[in-house]
């Protein structure tokens, strides 16, 4: 699963990063969703604009038209076309005819925000993409409500630190997946999640040796900035250890 698209080579969370991830054979794409000032779902990771654009300020204080006037900072690739902040609708228009799984991370300040999750679910339903989507969040309150609003949607609880207690909580609130930081995982926790019938989608693994190891330990999906590296390992049909 390509982390913010093919973000190891292209500007993260842009349409070119998504297209290039698909072209190199990614099975899925992970992206971030949040709301503009005028209530449009855009794909953008940070709360503020300065790291990824030439402007600054809170994204939620900008309208869609204002955001579309900005350019996403490139990775200094000569000849790369100017990239804009995409909307989730634009992304769905592109991916709806593709055999591609999409993980949408809800970017909310806290678990009390229901506006974003409702709009994301409505758009998923409009495009008939329920079977191709996983919704994830660090806030368990958001995830509980997503399941309440649409029990068929696959969900994953994001966590920076994976413990047996967190695995139990994820199962208790009805999650299909747990999305832990790869550095917090070990063989015992992977087996524990399997016991609770929770699949693991882990982030973010980039180095070749780490990718090879991760393939062998029963993880459902590996979220990576370099989907081309992982695809090359998968295509070998074996792992060199």
């Amino acid at each position: 699963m390509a982390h913010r698209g093919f973000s190891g080579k292209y500007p993260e969370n842009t349409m070119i990063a998504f297209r290039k991830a698909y072209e190199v054979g990614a099975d899925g794409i992970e992206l971030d969703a949040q709301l503009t000032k005028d209530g449009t779902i855009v794909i953008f990771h940070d709360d503020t604009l300065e790291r990824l654009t030439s402007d600054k300020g809170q994204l939620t204080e900008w309208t869609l038209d204002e955001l579309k006037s900005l350019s996403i900072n490139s990775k200094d690739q000569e000849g790369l076309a100017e990239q804009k902040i995409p909307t989730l609708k634009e992304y769905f228009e592109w991916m709806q005819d593709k055999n591609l799984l999409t993980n949408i991370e809800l970017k909310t300040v806290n678990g009390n925000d229901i506006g974003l999750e409702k709009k994301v679910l409505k758009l998923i339903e409009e495009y008939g993409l329920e079977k191709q989507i996983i919704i994830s969040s660090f806030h368990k309150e958001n995830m509980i409500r997503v399941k309440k609003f649409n029990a068929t949607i696959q969900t994953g609880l994001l966590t920076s630190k994976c413990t047996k207690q967190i695995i139990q909580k994820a199962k208790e609130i009805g999650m299909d997946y747990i999305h832990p930081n790869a550095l917090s995982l070990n063989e015992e926790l992977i087996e524990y999640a399997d016991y609770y019938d929770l699949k693991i989608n882990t982030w973010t693994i980039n180095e070749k040796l780490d990718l090879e190891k991760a393939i062998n330990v029963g993880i459902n999906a590996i979220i990576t900035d370099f989907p081309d590296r992982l695809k090359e390992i998968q295509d070998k049909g074996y792992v060199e250890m």
Side-chain angles (χ1 to χ4, degrees), residues 125-227:
E125 291 161 7
E126 285 179 8
Y127 280 84
L129 295 172
E130 291 91 337
K131 293 182 179 179
Q132 291 177 252
I133 301 292
I134 300 172
I135 296 180
S136 64
S137 173
F138 282 99
H139 302 296
K140 65 180 185 299
E141 297 86 357
N142 288 121
M143 292 291 87
I144 291 169
R145 285 195 300 270
V146 166
K147 276 297 191 186
K148 180 181 178 181
F149 296 148
N150 188 331
T152 68
I153 290 289
Q154 298 183 91
T155 52
L157 182 65
L158 274 159
T159 176
S160 296
K161 183 179 179 182
C162 188
T163 66
K164 290 182 177 181
Q165 290 74 24
I166 290 173
I167 291 170
Q168 290 172 358
K169 175 58 70 174
K171 184 63 177 180
E172 178 184 314
I173 64 175
M175 298 296 97
D176 305 285
Y177 302 91
I178 185 166
H179 292 192
N181 184 320
L183 296 177
S184 71
L185 279 178
N186 57 44
E187 185 176 344
E188 182 181 8
L189 289 171
I190 292 169
E191 291 177 354
Y192 198 74
D194 183 63
Y195 173 80
Y196 278 94
D197 197 28
L198 277 173
K199 295 180 180 178
I200 295 174
N201 301 326
T202 192
W203 52 277
T204 304
I205 305 177
N206 289 326
E207 298 305 318
K208 182 174 181 287
L209 182 59
D210 295 331
L211 290 166
E212 290 176 342
K213 289 179 179 177
I215 284 176
N216 281 337
V217 294
I219 291 170
N220 179 69
I222 298 167
I223 299 171
T224 178
D225 296 336
F226 296 93

Side-chain angles (χ1 to χ4, degrees), residues 15 40-43 64 68 85-92 123:
M15 290 308 301
T40 302
I41 310 165
V42 291
I43 302 173
L64 178 62
K68 283 293 189 181
I85 298 173
T87 65
L88 188 60
K89 184 175 182 178
E90 287 175 72
Y91 175 82
F92 281 174
L123 197 61

Side-chain angles (χ1 to χ4, degrees), residues 54-73:
S54 58
D55 219 304
K56 60 183 179 180
Q58 294 287 323
L59 179 139
T60 54
E61 296 176 356
W62 289 58
T63 66
L64 178 62
D65 285 345
E66 290 169 340
L67 290 171
K68 283 293 189 181
S69 71
L70 304 177
S71 296
I72 297 292
N73 296 334

